[in-house]
Amino acid sequence: MIELLILNLSARDTLDAGEIGELERVIKHERLVPTGVDMVREGSRPKESTLLLEGIAGRYRVLEDGKRQITALHVPGDFLDLHAFMLKTMDHGVIALSPCKVAAAEHKDLKQVTETCPHLTRMLWLSTVIDGAIHREWIVAMGRRSKKGHLAHLICELFTRLSVVGRVSDNSFHLPLSQAEVADTLGLSLVHLNKTLQKLRGDDVIRWVDRILTVLDWNELKRIAEFDDSYLNLIHEPR
Amino acid sequence: MIELLILNLSARDTLDAGEIGELERVIKHERLVPTGVDMVREGSRPKESTLLLEGIAGRYRVLEDGKRQITALHVPGDFLDLHAFMLKTMDHGVIALSPCKVAAAEHKDLKQVTETCPHLTRMLWLSTVIDGAIHREWIVAMGRRSKKGHLAHLICELFTRLSVVGRVSDNSFHLPLSQAEVADTLGLSLVHLNKTLQKLRGDDVIRWVDRILTVLDWNELKRIAEFDDSYLNLIHEPR
DNA sequence: CGTAGGTTTGAGGTTGGTCAACAGGTGTGG
DNA sequence: CCACACCTGTTGACCAACCTCAAACCTACG
């Protein structure tokens, strides 16, 4: 059940058997969440943190005028709201963007991990800090990249993150979002997202049909995005 | 020396004498950094994390075409790069936006804190997680707020954060950035930032002369920004 | 007195938003 | 089986927001 989390963490540092056992002990209550359903509500005070096992989920906020901004996308093996363990109150919602399978770690158990397993604690801390690094990269993309570059960057990021957890084959991955949802993650209007998408398609760097995204020319896509994966911290070293 | 850090953390949970002593032991090497100087370089692998004692600092990245995006602003009492303790490699630079006084905590000492002081560890973890919450709020502002709303939001945020560490008096605080730097934090051109600024000034909600920013009408500013400080987690509770 | 950094203003062009319509696919009920 | 509603994607027209370029202005400072 927690294989993908282990894959995710092991890409950054080695976990020993005791730590893996501890994770297995702490993570439980597997359940399914249908597309479109909120798994965590804004303003709530969850008593547990949620690990995504299958599917794509998004963190989002909606403003008074109804505009929505997705602030993070999550792939299998990601914690959706580990930060809530420290923050206590959710400052955003989390929605299932495809059918999702999730499991939960109770905060009282996580607290016990921080009391007894320093290295595992640091690895969990690391995963929230990588979230932060991704946030920063999104800020850079929103502020200073072209829209085409921003979209290309998002695709590069998802491609890379999904590769780590074995969800890419034949240069393709399942991208279940609608164009409206992608627009809400880039901060674009739906119409303009569509036109931006067509520019990328026109360059023959990607194909996206039936919710399957195929990268046709990785080097060119990377160049358009100015993508450098170092912010994802896919380096194995002692933490 | 670490009073402001304690102020910052104590706004979220109580630190006991032992924890404060531990922080005093770990944080040392006070030094001054002149305006415009990089305190941490992108791509470096710092062996210590930096606490800002005085001044304003910014995290930033610059793209190939020379465009710069500031991804975070820091006020006294903030750790600038505590995340580097876990990340190891800096994915961005940190620049002094005014004369700064800083101190340092060596990573080997922080590691020891994680081995021996679980609650203090959680408090440090918390502070990186609040950074993340601020990042998310910036993403929302960049993607879905009007430029005027975005600027107003930034001012509300700085006002609130500076209040916590006692850097606001008479509804005024020192905002040492140039308009070009503010433009780089909002992802705007300098010209357009200037025009946006004039809209806010025209509404008589702020004044900004000689690098002193005065909030003339907090309620109206808050309304324009749709500002809600809950993401800053200024709630005292057990963590 | 000249220079440099910062702010302000205007002109003109590009980007991106809104509105509106249409096409294709799917599911439902008559 | 057909008619209809609904959802997603696509396209065009039009307008507002925002960018770039350029110049002027205003200090502070050597």
Side-chain angles (χ1 to χ4, degrees):
Chain A
M1 172 161 126
I2 60 163
E3 298 73 26
L4 295 182
L5 172 62
I6 293 169
L7 217 53
N8 232 338
L9 296 179
S10 301
R12 280 86 183 195
D13 191 10
T14 306
L15 295 180
D16 67 30
E19 291 168 336
I20 291 174
E22 192 66 11
L23 285 175
E24 276 163 351
R25 193 181 65 73
V26 160
I27 296 170
K28 39 201 177 187
H29 304 313
E30 193 169 321
R31 74 181 211 274
L32 295 171
V33 183
T35 305
V37 169
D38 268 14
M39 9 201 14
V40 189
R41 210 98 29 103
E42 180 177 346
S44 66
R45 298 178 58 84
K47 295 252 165 305
E48 51 185 38
S49 283
T50 311
L51 175 65
L52 184 59
L53 302 173
E54 208 58 61
I56 303 282
R59 306 188 196 172
Y60 70 94
R61 286 213 333 112
V62 350
L63 300 184
E64 286 172 15
D65 61 3
K67 284 180 181 159
R68 177 173 71 165
Q69 177 66 45
I70 292 176
T71 58
L73 290 177
H74 288 292
V75 304
D78 286 356
F79 269 106
L80 301 175
D81 57 352
L82 185 51
H83 51 294
F85 169 45
M86 305 287 20
L87 251 25
K88 305 302 178 193
T89 305
M90 289 297 292
D91 52 37
H92 61 265
V94 182
I95 188 178
L97 295 167
S98 73
C100 287
K101 193 159 73 176
V102 299
E106 288 185 31
H107 289 173
K108 69 171 170 44
D109 291 334
L110 289 173
K111 184 165 179 180
Q112 202 207 318
V113 168
T114 68
E115 309 278 344
T116 55
C117 307
H119 179 253
L120 183 55
T121 301
R122 290 197 299 272
M123 293 302 286
L124 294 175
W125 185 354
L126 170 65
S127 78
T128 65
V129 149
I130 291 174
D131 273 358
I134 294 172
H135 289 331
R136 284 192 293 278
E137 202 60 35
W138 284 31
I139 289 172
V140 172
M142 297 186 91
R144 292 301 187 213
R145 288 186 206 281
S146 69
K147 299 302 161 178
K148 183 173 157 188
H150 188 180
L151 175 57
H153 197 275
L154 178 69
I155 294 169
C156 286
E157 179 184 308
L158 288 174
F159 189 92
T160 306
R161 290 168 62 193
L162 286 164
S163 292
V164 173
V165 288
R167 290 296 190 275
V168 173
S169 54
D170 281 337
N171 290 317
S172 298
F173 60 90
H174 184 56
L175 182 63
L177 315 210
S178 68
Q179 291 190 11
E181 286 161 341
V182 175
D184 280 347
T185 104
L186 300 187
L188 273 180
S189 69
L190 169 57
V191 172
H192 202 75
L193 172 84
N194 182 280
K195 287 171 182 169
T196 306
L197 198 48
Q198 289 178 46
K199 283 188 199 164
L200 269 191
R201 294 206 261 235
D203 289 352
D204 284 327
V205 292
I206 60 157
R207 182 167 44 215
W208 187 26
V209 279
D210 295 336
R211 307 281 163 109
I212 303 288
L213 197 145
T214 305
V215 174
L216 301 173
D217 186 341
W218 174 250
N219 286 332
E220 180 61 8
L221 184 65
K222 233 176 114 169
R223 198 194 57 73
I224 293 170
E226 259 185 56
F227 183 72
D228 171 353
D229 71 6
S230 56
Y231 73 100
L232 295 174
N233 259 263
L234 295 168
I235 296 177
H236 192 94
E237 59 180 305
R239 314 262 180 177
Chain B
M1 171 162 128
I2 60 162
E3 297 73 25
L4 295 182
L5 172 61
I6 294 169
L7 219 52
N8 232 337
L9 296 179
S10 301
R12 279 88 183 193
D13 190 11
T14 306
L15 295 179
D16 68 30
E19 291 168 335
I20 292 175
E22 191 67 11
L23 286 174
E24 276 165 352
R25 193 182 65 74
V26 160
I27 295 169
K28 38 202 175 187
H29 304 313
E30 192 168 320
R31 72 181 212 273
L32 295 171
V33 184
T35 305
V37 170
D38 268 13
M39 8 201 17
V40 189
R41 210 103 23 112
E42 180 177 346
S44 66
R45 298 176 58 85
K47 294 252 164 306
E48 51 185 40
S49 283
T50 311
L51 175 66
L52 184 59
L53 303 172
E54 207 57 62
I56 303 281
R59 306 188 196 172
Y60 70 95
R61 286 213 332 111
V62 350
L63 300 184
E64 285 172 13
D65 62 3
K67 284 179 183 162
R68 176 173 71 166
Q69 177 67 47
I70 293 177
T71 59
L73 290 177
H74 287 292
V75 305
D78 286 355
F79 269 105
L80 301 175
D81 57 352
L82 185 52
H83 52 296
F85 169 45
M86 305 287 19
L87 251 25
K88 304 302 176 192
T89 304
M90 289 297 292
D91 53 37
H92 59 265
V94 182
I95 188 177
L97 295 167
S98 73
C100 286
K101 194 160 72 177
V102 298
E106 289 184 29
H107 289 173
K108 68 170 170 48
D109 291 334
L110 289 173
K111 184 166 179 179
Q112 203 208 318
V113 167
T114 67
E115 309 278 346
T116 55
C117 307
H119 178 254
L120 183 54
T121 301
R122 290 197 299 272
M123 293 302 285
L124 294 175
W125 185 353
L126 171 65
S127 79
T128 65
V129 148
I130 290 174
D131 273 357
I134 294 172
H135 288 331
R136 284 192 293 277
E137 203 59 36
W138 284 30
I139 289 172
V140 172
M142 297 185 90
R144 292 302 187 210
R145 287 186 206 281
S146 69
K147 299 303 161 176
K148 183 172 156 186
H150 189 179
L151 175 56
H153 197 276
L154 178 69
I155 294 169
C156 286
E157 178 184 308
L158 289 175
F159 189 91
T160 306
R161 289 168 63 193
L162 285 163
S163 293
V164 173
V165 288
R167 289 296 190 275
V168 173
S169 53
D170 280 336
N171 290 317
S172 298
F173 61 90
H174 185 55
L175 181 62
L177 314 209
S178 69
Q179 291 189 12
E181 287 159 341
V182 175
D184 280 348
T185 103
L186 300 187
L188 275 179
S189 69
L190 169 58
V191 172
H192 202 74
L193 171 84
N194 183 278
K195 287 171 182 167
T196 306
L197 199 47
Q198 289 177 46
K199 283 187 200 165
L200 269 191
R201 294 206 261 233
D203 290 352
D204 285 327
V205 292
I206 61 157
R207 182 165 45 215
W208 186 27
V209 280
D210 295 335
R211 306 282 161 111
I212 302 289
L213 197 147
T214 305
V215 175
L216 302 173
D217 186 342
W218 173 249
N219 286 332
E220 180 61 9
L221 185 65
K222 233 176 114 170
R223 197 193 58 72
I224 294 170
E226 258 186 57
F227 182 73
D228 170 354
D229 71 6
S230 55
Y231 72 101
L232 295 173
N233 259 262
L234 295 167
I235 295 177
H236 191 95
E237 59 180 306
R239 313 260 181 181

